[in-house]
Amino acid sequence: MASSKASRLGEDRRTRMDKVNAELVVLTYGTIVAQLCKDFDSDYVEVNKQLDKMGYNIGMRLIEDYLAKSNTVRRCSSFRETAEMIAKVGFKIFLNITPAITNWTSDGKQFSLVFDENPFADFVELPDDGRAQDELWYSNIMCGVLRGALEMVQMQVEAHFVSDVLRGNDTTEMRISLIRYIDDELPPEDD
Amino acid sequence: MVVYSFYIFDRHTECIYSKTWLPTSSDPSSGSGPATATATTTTTNHNHYNPATALRPSTADDAKLIFGAVFSLRNMVRKLGGDDDAFVSYRTAHYKLHYYETASSLRLVMLTDTATLSMRNVLHQIYINLWVEYVVKNPLSPVEHKGGVGVRNELFELGLDQFIRGLI
């Protein structure tokens, strides 16, 4: 029930937003990754790190837009609800995709998002240098976005890709783990 | 309706924006005749009560005190009413304080006269239409607004002033 409500919310908000051409996004993002690969001499570990960092900075802003657009009035009551909102509202609003939520651990602190489509990866082929296939996570910016966005709503998470169709895997899967809920910051003590 | 002042506090509890629609240098001895000196919102007559002297606005201390008060109230409200409960406003004999908090722990506070109805929606609109649009989406403004950096941009200031004036 809650899940279909989230889907409807996501669909509803998306239709109200200004949209950009998908190819523009694909090409812009591709250019960023290509430039990073060049700048770091195909040190893909470093490229992943940079993408994550860029995503983190984007996420910290994007969350405000998400809150404004989704008209969220209250916090999610559980991490499961958070996952629903990420997949069905967040991804729907900003990328018009709804990744599937699977592989929950029993403590409810880790789940996977499985992307059956990935708008960033259209037309993409990883470089054929024998390393990119094993080292580069092409869409790593998304991990950073989630990390940044969730940190702003007081959840510290860790996110990484575990498989990517670009590497020849069957699915594109991102693993997200809740590390802790961040407490309210207290005002500094007056002397 | 009269709006006296407006504050924004970030998630690090720092006051990153404050604006008052009253003369800032309020000297207690010259506490009469505010209407001519006041900048904008005091179009109504305050012959019985002069907020300029009573509120004595806009020192850094005020922001700290206000934050302390709303933060304690908010925590107390949540303790009694559950985590979903939200503190909306309080009223004194002289003013009414409105409070709005986003999920990203941005806190908006507005002081108005006592007769004003709930400003929750107004604060929500300020967040959506001014804060998100002009501060968050400004690509050159920093993500964290330490010391208020990036908040005092022209579009935001202008938008806020117009929005508040439009309410009256």
Side-chain angles (χ1 to χ4, degrees):
Chain A
M1 181 206 78
S3 119
S4 69
K5 214 169 107 192
S7 309
R8 241 182 301 129
L9 182 68
E11 181 59 44
D12 180 53
R13 301 300 161 191
R14 193 189 68 83
T15 50
R16 284 199 223 163
M17 280 178 65
D18 296 335
K19 295 169 197 69
V20 296
N21 183 296
E23 277 165 39
L24 175 69
V25 176
V26 176
L27 295 178
T28 312
Y29 184 68
T31 311
I32 291 173
V33 181
Q35 187 65 44
L36 284 172
C37 291
K38 211 189 260 172
D39 287 354
F40 291 97
D41 270 339
S42 299
D43 178 351
Y44 297 120
V45 177
E46 188 60 30
V47 173
N48 291 340
K49 216 183 282 172
Q50 292 298 323
L51 285 172
D52 183 84
K53 211 194 259 173
M54 289 163 75
Y56 176 74
N57 288 322
I58 295 173
M60 288 175 96
R61 289 170 192 262
L62 206 59
I63 184 68
E64 304 273 10
D65 198 37
Y66 167 85
L67 292 172
K69 296 256 160 62
S70 65
N71 243 332
T72 322
V73 277
R74 55 174 200 89
R75 282 168 190 279
C76 295
S77 54
S78 67
F79 197 50
R80 279 177 190 274
E81 192 185 348
T82 307
E84 290 272 323
M85 296 307 270
I86 291 170
K88 297 197 168 129
V89 185
F91 273 102
K92 186 71 185 173
I93 291 182
F94 295 114
L95 291 176
N96 194 22
I97 54 173
T98 309
I101 306 164
T102 55
N103 296 339
W104 277 101
T105 50
S106 54
D107 61 0
K109 286 188 170 168
Q110 280 184 37
F111 64 95
S112 293
L113 290 174
V114 176
F115 300 83
D116 49 2
E117 48 178 337
N118 177 359
F120 285 148
D122 285 345
F123 322 125
V124 175
E125 251 179 66
L126 295 184
D128 217 0
D129 57 3
R131 289 187 302 116
Q133 300 273 343
D134 298 321
E135 292 171 14
L136 178 64
W137 293 114
Y138 183 80
S139 309
N140 215 37
I141 202 164
M142 287 197 232
C143 299
V145 171
L146 285 181
R147 188 163 64 85
L150 290 176
E151 184 184 307
M152 290 297 276
V153 286
Q154 296 178 298
M155 273 170 268
Q156 191 185 345
V157 300
E158 199 278 324
H160 61 272
F161 276 100
V162 289
S163 66
D164 190 338
V165 286
L166 292 179
R167 291 182 170 202
N169 302 123
D170 293 337
T171 53
T172 302
E173 178 178 341
M174 191 202 287
R175 193 84 186 140
I176 294 149
S177 336
L178 174 68
I179 297 170
R180 67 185 178 103
Y181 284 99
I182 303 166
D183 291 332
D184 288 322
E185 284 184 43
L186 299 173
E189 293 283 333
D190 266 333
D191 311 316
Chain B
M1 193 192 80
V2 188
V3 176
Y4 298 144
S5 55
F6 174 67
Y7 300 84
I8 301 177
F9 301 91
D10 69 0
R11 66 191 175 116
H12 308 299
T13 77
E14 191 185 343
C15 178
I16 50 174
Y17 182 83
S18 74
K19 186 174 174 69
T20 129
W21 282 268
L22 291 168
T24 44
S25 57
S26 61
D27 181 0
S29 59
S30 67
S32 57
T36 48
T38 7
T40 59
T41 53
T42 40
T43 43
T44 43
N45 262 327
H46 297 289
N47 36 22
H48 58 294
Y49 161 62
N50 175 4
T53 50
L55 280 175
R56 214 164 292 129
S58 89
T59 59
D61 274 355
D62 284 359
K64 258 189 221 159
L65 288 171
I66 287 174
F67 186 81
V70 294
F71 191 66
S72 309
L73 268 170
R74 156 193 182 275
N75 289 346
M76 189 267 289
V77 164
R78 284 193 179 183
K79 207 159 260 174
L80 294 179
D83 275 347
D84 279 347
D85 202 0
F87 148 58
V88 178
S89 69
Y90 75 71
R91 214 182 86 171
T92 73
H94 289 323
Y95 70 95
K96 187 167 172 186
L97 179 146
H98 307 262
Y99 179 73
Y100 177 77
E101 179 176 339
T102 71
S104 52
S105 302
L106 192 77
R107 285 111 178 178
L108 309 179
V109 174
M110 186 178 272
L111 267 66
T112 67
D113 65 344
T114 52
T116 306
L117 296 174
S118 174
M119 296 287 269
R120 211 176 149 65
N121 201 25
V122 168
L123 292 175
H124 181 65
Q125 291 302 323
I126 291 176
Y127 170 66
I128 292 184
N129 295 328
L130 300 172
W131 177 264
V132 174
E133 290 299 314
Y134 297 142
V135 179
V136 176
K137 288 191 187 171
N138 175 1
L140 297 182
S141 109
V143 181
E144 302 279 1
H145 305 280
K146 240 184 167 0
V149 185
V151 186
R152 287 188 178 276
N153 70 62
E154 207 170 320
L155 283 170
F156 180 72
E157 291 265 19
L158 216 68
L160 181 68
D161 201 55
Q162 263 172 7
F163 185 61
I164 299 294
R165 281 166 198 251
L167 295 172
I168 307 157

